[in-house]
């Protein structure tokens, strides 16, 4: 059912965009699941324009899905796949670092996950309107000396019509923690559906 709905969304959105942006290439191979950006597209070599449902304008339901898809993507710690969720001309401010396109985003993420080891992330929807979403999040990681941290962040996102993120503004603070105080213990990768979120964990 999810695949049928996702393909229907893509068909409707690409037809709308065709009339507005005829120069954009339109491609729509079969989907494995909603998380098409992180699964099907990189292996098929599509690097320019990628439909990434859910599309704006967002409802509460689609905003929640978008946040979970972003969390799942970053928990792969695969810079090449994660970068595909952003437009070619994406603009970021991450702490005091500025990113000006998708290639720079990929380089930034590659360096990030070399430095931040055993990274586990939880995101939570804060607010949404039209093509914008605000989230809060926390992630736990350690450096190469075994020092653990919990990093708390807030992000503002703005999306293009095709569902890719165009602007990302992130403010993050790192809290040193003892390894015994960790709260995120699932196996590396996607957070299990039954794992509590930030609010449930009191974070």
């Amino acid at each position: 059912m999810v695949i049928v709905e996702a393909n229907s969304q893509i068909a409707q959105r690409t037809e709308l965009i065709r009339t507005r942006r005829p120069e954009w290439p339109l491609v729509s191979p079969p989907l494995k699941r909603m998380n098409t950006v992180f699964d099907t597209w990189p292996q098929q070599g599509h690097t320019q324009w990628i439909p990434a449902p859910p599309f704006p304008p967002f409802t509460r339901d689609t905003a929640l899905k978008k946040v979970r898809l972003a969390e799942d993507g970053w928990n792969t710690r695969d810079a090449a796949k994660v970068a595909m969720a952003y437009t070619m001309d994406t603009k970021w401010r991450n702490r005091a670092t500025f990113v000006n396109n998708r290639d720079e985003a990929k380089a930034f993420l590659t360096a990030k996950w070399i430095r931040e080891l055993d990274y586990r992330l939880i995101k939570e929807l804060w607010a949404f309107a039209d093509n914008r979403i605000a989230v809060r999040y926390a992630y736990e990681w350690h450096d190469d000396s075994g020092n653990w941290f919990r990093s708390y962040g807030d992000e503002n996102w703005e999306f293009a019509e095709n569902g890719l993120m165009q602007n990302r503004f992130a403010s993050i603070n790192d809290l040193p923690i003892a390894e015994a105080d960790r709260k995120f213990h699932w196996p590396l990768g996607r957070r299990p559906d039954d794992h509590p979120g930030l609010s449930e964990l009191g974070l």
Side-chain angles (χ1 to χ4, degrees):
M1 180 63 70
V2 169
I3 293 175
V4 172
E5 291 175 354
N7 277 318
S8 176
Q9 285 191 47
I10 291 172
Q12 294 173 12
R13 180 60 51 146
T14 52
E15 184 59 32
L16 173 62
I17 294 173
R18 187 193 303 275
T19 64
R20 300 183 182 180
R21 302 288 176 87
E23 72 276 12
W24 285 357
L26 302 179
V27 285
S28 55
L31 301 179
K32 291 181 182 178
R33 59 186 183 190
M34 284 289 288
N35 194 355
T36 60
V37 170
F38 302 120
D39 289 323
T40 64
W41 292 92
Q43 291 89 16
Q44 298 180 33
H46 299 292
T47 59
Q48 297 295 321
W49 182 84
I50 308 167
F55 301 113
F58 297 111
T59 64
R60 177 171 178 78
D61 182 59
T62 59
L64 287 168
K65 289 179 181 178
K66 203 71 167 177
V67 171
R68 182 61 197 241
L69 289 175
E71 176 190 311
D72 292 349
W74 283 59
N75 274 326
T76 68
R77 295 165 293 117
D78 186 322
K81 289 184 178 182
V82 173
M84 296 298 291
Y86 300 87
T87 62
M88 293 292 289
D89 62 349
T90 190
K91 297 289 189 294
W92 295 12
R93 178 189 54 74
N94 193 98
R95 304 178 191 248
T97 299
F98 292 82
V99 165
N100 296 294
N101 56 57
R102 185 189 287 170
D103 287 340
E104 289 184 14
K106 178 182 174 182
F108 171 88
L109 293 169
T110 298
K112 171 185 175 68
W113 287 316
I114 290 174
R115 182 179 67 257
E116 298 178 355
L117 305 174
D118 288 330
Y119 172 99
R120 293 170 176 85
L121 165 72
I122 300 179
K123 290 183 181 288
E124 184 175 282
L125 176 66
W126 187 254
F128 68 94
D130 300 323
N131 68 332
R132 294 178 174 180
I133 294 176
V135 298
R136 71 184 193 96
Y137 57 91
Y139 60 89
E140 294 182 348
W141 58 282
H142 67 84
D143 61 20
D144 58 6
S145 297
N147 301 303
W148 279 92
F149 300 86
R150 184 180 303 123
S151 299
Y152 294 94
D154 300 293
E155 288 188 9
N156 295 320
W157 300 342
E158 186 172 35
F159 293 86
E161 289 179 322
N162 60 7
L164 298 181
M165 195 181 299
Q166 196 159 28
N167 292 304
R168 173 182 175 267
F169 307 106
S171 299
I172 306 169
N173 302 103
D174 301 321
L175 174 70
I177 60 173
E179 184 172 3
D181 293 331
R182 293 172 53 206
K183 294 181 180 293
F184 305 169
H185 296 281
W186 68 86
L188 286 175
R190 185 179 187 275
R191 175 170 59 98
D193 290 334
D194 60 355
H195 190 284
L198 294 182
S199 294
E200 290 79 8
L201 290 169
L203 297 177

PDB file of all heavy atoms in Angstrom, residues 184-196:
ATOM      1  N   PHE A 184      20.854   5.658  24.064  1.00  0.00           N
ATOM      2  CA  PHE A 184      20.591   5.101  22.735  1.00  0.00           C
ATOM      3  C   PHE A 184      21.465   3.855  22.562  1.00  0.00           C
ATOM      4  O   PHE A 184      22.686   3.979  22.381  1.00  0.00           O
ATOM      5  CB  PHE A 184      20.928   6.108  21.634  1.00  0.00           C
ATOM      6  CG  PHE A 184      20.231   7.447  21.751  1.00  0.00           C
ATOM      7  CD1 PHE A 184      20.620   8.505  20.954  1.00  0.00           C
ATOM      8  CD2 PHE A 184      19.188   7.646  22.646  1.00  0.00           C
ATOM      9  CE1 PHE A 184      19.993   9.744  21.039  1.00  0.00           C
ATOM     10  CE2 PHE A 184      18.543   8.877  22.749  1.00  0.00           C
ATOM     11  CZ  PHE A 184      18.950   9.923  21.950  1.00  0.00           C
ATOM     12  N   HIS A 185      20.832   2.677  22.607  1.00  0.00           N
ATOM     13  CA  HIS A 185      21.600   1.433  22.602  1.00  0.00           C
ATOM     14  C   HIS A 185      21.229   0.481  21.471  1.00  0.00           C
ATOM     15  O   HIS A 185      21.742  -0.637  21.427  1.00  0.00           O
ATOM     16  CB  HIS A 185      21.419   0.700  23.939  1.00  0.00           C
ATOM     17  CG  HIS A 185      21.945   1.443  25.126  1.00  0.00           C
ATOM     18  ND1 HIS A 185      23.284   1.475  25.455  1.00  0.00           N
ATOM     19  CD2 HIS A 185      21.299   2.201  26.070  1.00  0.00           C
ATOM     20  CE1 HIS A 185      23.453   2.201  26.549  1.00  0.00           C
ATOM     21  NE2 HIS A 185      22.272   2.652  26.946  1.00  0.00           N
ATOM     22  N   TRP A 186      20.364   0.883  20.558  1.00  0.00           N
ATOM     23  CA  TRP A 186      19.967  -0.057  19.514  1.00  0.00           C
ATOM     24  C   TRP A 186      21.159  -0.359  18.597  1.00  0.00           C
ATOM     25  O   TRP A 186      22.111   0.422  18.506  1.00  0.00           O
ATOM     26  CB  TRP A 186      18.780   0.494  18.724  1.00  0.00           C
ATOM     27  CG  TRP A 186      19.085   1.698  17.869  1.00  0.00           C
ATOM     28  CD1 TRP A 186      19.570   1.699  16.591  1.00  0.00           C
ATOM     29  CD2 TRP A 186      18.914   3.074  18.218  1.00  0.00           C
ATOM     30  NE1 TRP A 186      19.706   2.987  16.122  1.00  0.00           N
ATOM     31  CE2 TRP A 186      19.310   3.846  17.095  1.00  0.00           C
ATOM     32  CE3 TRP A 186      18.459   3.730  19.369  1.00  0.00           C
ATOM     33  CZ2 TRP A 186      19.271   5.251  17.090  1.00  0.00           C
ATOM     34  CZ3 TRP A 186      18.420   5.129  19.366  1.00  0.00           C
ATOM     35  CH2 TRP A 186      18.816   5.865  18.245  1.00  0.00           C
ATOM     36  N   PRO A 187      21.135  -1.509  17.891  1.00  0.00           N
ATOM     37  CA  PRO A 187      22.223  -1.815  16.947  1.00  0.00           C
ATOM     38  C   PRO A 187      22.353  -0.695  15.913  1.00  0.00           C
ATOM     39  O   PRO A 187      21.349  -0.103  15.493  1.00  0.00           O
ATOM     40  CB  PRO A 187      21.754  -3.126  16.293  1.00  0.00           C
ATOM     41  CG  PRO A 187      20.826  -3.734  17.291  1.00  0.00           C
ATOM     42  CD  PRO A 187      20.130  -2.583  17.962  1.00  0.00           C
ATOM     43  N   LEU A 188      23.569  -0.401  15.509  1.00  0.00           N
ATOM     44  CA  LEU A 188      23.795   0.697  14.575  1.00  0.00           C
ATOM     45  C   LEU A 188      22.899   0.562  13.349  1.00  0.00           C
ATOM     46  O   LEU A 188      22.726  -0.517  12.797  1.00  0.00           O
ATOM     47  CB  LEU A 188      25.264   0.732  14.145  1.00  0.00           C
ATOM     48  CG  LEU A 188      26.244   1.248  15.191  1.00  0.00           C
ATOM     49  CD1 LEU A 188      27.674   1.099  14.676  1.00  0.00           C
ATOM     50  CD2 LEU A 188      25.957   2.700  15.549  1.00  0.00           C
ATOM     51  N   GLY A 189      22.343   1.677  12.922  1.00  0.00           N
ATOM     52  CA  GLY A 189      21.408   1.690  11.805  1.00  0.00           C
ATOM     53  C   GLY A 189      20.093   2.318  12.235  1.00  0.00           C
ATOM     54  O   GLY A 189      20.040   3.134  13.160  1.00  0.00           O
ATOM     55  N   ARG A 190      19.014   1.924  11.577  1.00  0.00           N
ATOM     56  CA  ARG A 190      17.700   2.506  11.819  1.00  0.00           C
ATOM     57  C   ARG A 190      17.219   2.254  13.249  1.00  0.00           C
ATOM     58  O   ARG A 190      17.339   1.143  13.770  1.00  0.00           O
ATOM     59  CB  ARG A 190      16.696   1.929  10.821  1.00  0.00           C
ATOM     60  CG  ARG A 190      15.311   2.555  10.891  1.00  0.00           C
ATOM     61  CD  ARG A 190      14.378   1.931   9.853  1.00  0.00           C
ATOM     62  NE  ARG A 190      13.116   2.631   9.804  1.00  0.00           N
ATOM     63  CZ  ARG A 190      12.078   2.396  10.613  1.00  0.00           C
ATOM     64  NH1 ARG A 190      12.190   1.450  11.543  1.00  0.00           N
ATOM     65  NH2 ARG A 190      10.967   3.085  10.500  1.00  0.00           N
ATOM     66  N   ARG A 191      16.679   3.295  13.884  1.00  0.00           N
ATOM     67  CA  ARG A 191      16.089   3.128  15.220  1.00  0.00           C
ATOM     68  C   ARG A 191      14.854   2.235  15.108  1.00  0.00           C
ATOM     69  O   ARG A 191      13.965   2.498  14.287  1.00  0.00           O
ATOM     70  CB  ARG A 191      15.702   4.493  15.782  1.00  0.00           C
ATOM     71  CG  ARG A 191      14.970   4.445  17.126  1.00  0.00           C
ATOM     72  CD  ARG A 191      14.823   5.829  17.736  1.00  0.00           C
ATOM     73  NE  ARG A 191      14.090   6.741  16.892  1.00  0.00           N
ATOM     74  CZ  ARG A 191      12.791   7.037  17.021  1.00  0.00           C
ATOM     75  NH1 ARG A 191      12.073   6.480  17.991  1.00  0.00           N
ATOM     76  NH2 ARG A 191      12.209   7.910  16.210  1.00  0.00           N
ATOM     77  N   PRO A 192      14.747   1.191  15.920  1.00  0.00           N
ATOM     78  CA  PRO A 192      13.575   0.310  15.871  1.00  0.00           C
ATOM     79  C   PRO A 192      12.284   1.084  16.144  1.00  0.00           C
ATOM     80  O   PRO A 192      12.268   2.067  16.891  1.00  0.00           O
ATOM     81  CB  PRO A 192      13.850  -0.714  16.975  1.00  0.00           C
ATOM     82  CG  PRO A 192      15.338  -0.704  17.139  1.00  0.00           C
ATOM     83  CD  PRO A 192      15.757   0.709  16.882  1.00  0.00           C
ATOM     84  N   ASP A 193      11.195   0.632  15.528  1.00  0.00           N
ATOM     85  CA  ASP A 193       9.910   1.317  15.669  1.00  0.00           C
ATOM     86  C   ASP A 193       9.433   1.366  17.116  1.00  0.00           C
ATOM     87  O   ASP A 193       8.719   2.294  17.506  1.00  0.00           O
ATOM     88  CB  ASP A 193       8.845   0.631  14.804  1.00  0.00           C
ATOM     89  CG  ASP A 193       9.085   0.856  13.323  1.00  0.00           C
ATOM     90  OD1 ASP A 193       9.702   1.878  12.958  1.00  0.00           O
ATOM     91  OD2 ASP A 193       8.654   0.006  12.521  1.00  0.00           O
ATOM     92  N   ASP A 194       9.812   0.374  17.913  1.00  0.00           N
ATOM     93  CA  ASP A 194       9.345   0.343  19.306  1.00  0.00           C
ATOM     94  C   ASP A 194      10.308   1.037  20.265  1.00  0.00           C
ATOM     95  O   ASP A 194      10.084   1.035  21.476  1.00  0.00           O
ATOM     96  CB  ASP A 194       9.097  -1.097  19.759  1.00  0.00           C
ATOM     97  CG  ASP A 194      10.351  -1.974  19.689  1.00  0.00           C
ATOM     98  OD1 ASP A 194      11.395  -1.489  19.190  1.00  0.00           O
ATOM     99  OD2 ASP A 194      10.287  -3.144  20.125  1.00  0.00           O
ATOM    100  N   HIS A 195      11.356   1.663  19.740  1.00  0.00           N
ATOM    101  CA  HIS A 195      12.284   2.387  20.602  1.00  0.00           C
ATOM    102  C   HIS A 195      11.681   3.742  20.949  1.00  0.00           C
ATOM    103  O   HIS A 195      11.162   4.435  20.071  1.00  0.00           O
ATOM    104  CB  HIS A 195      13.627   2.581  19.899  1.00  0.00           C
ATOM    105  CG  HIS A 195      14.708   3.091  20.798  1.00  0.00           C
ATOM    106  ND1 HIS A 195      14.789   4.422  21.216  1.00  0.00           N
ATOM    107  CD2 HIS A 195      15.771   2.457  21.365  1.00  0.00           C
ATOM    108  CE1 HIS A 195      15.837   4.563  21.994  1.00  0.00           C
ATOM    109  NE2 HIS A 195      16.454   3.411  22.104  1.00  0.00           N
ATOM    110  N   PRO A 196      11.733   4.181  22.205  1.00  0.00           N
ATOM    111  CA  PRO A 196      11.145   5.469  22.568  1.00  0.00           C
ATOM    112  C   PRO A 196      11.815   6.639  21.874  1.00  0.00           C
ATOM    113  O   PRO A 196      12.991   6.585  21.526  1.00  0.00           O
ATOM    114  CB  PRO A 196      11.344   5.534  24.092  1.00  0.00           C
ATOM    115  CG  PRO A 196      12.421   4.537  24.390  1.00  0.00           C
ATOM    116  CD  PRO A 196      12.297   3.468  23.361  1.00  0.00           C
TER     117      PRO A 196
END
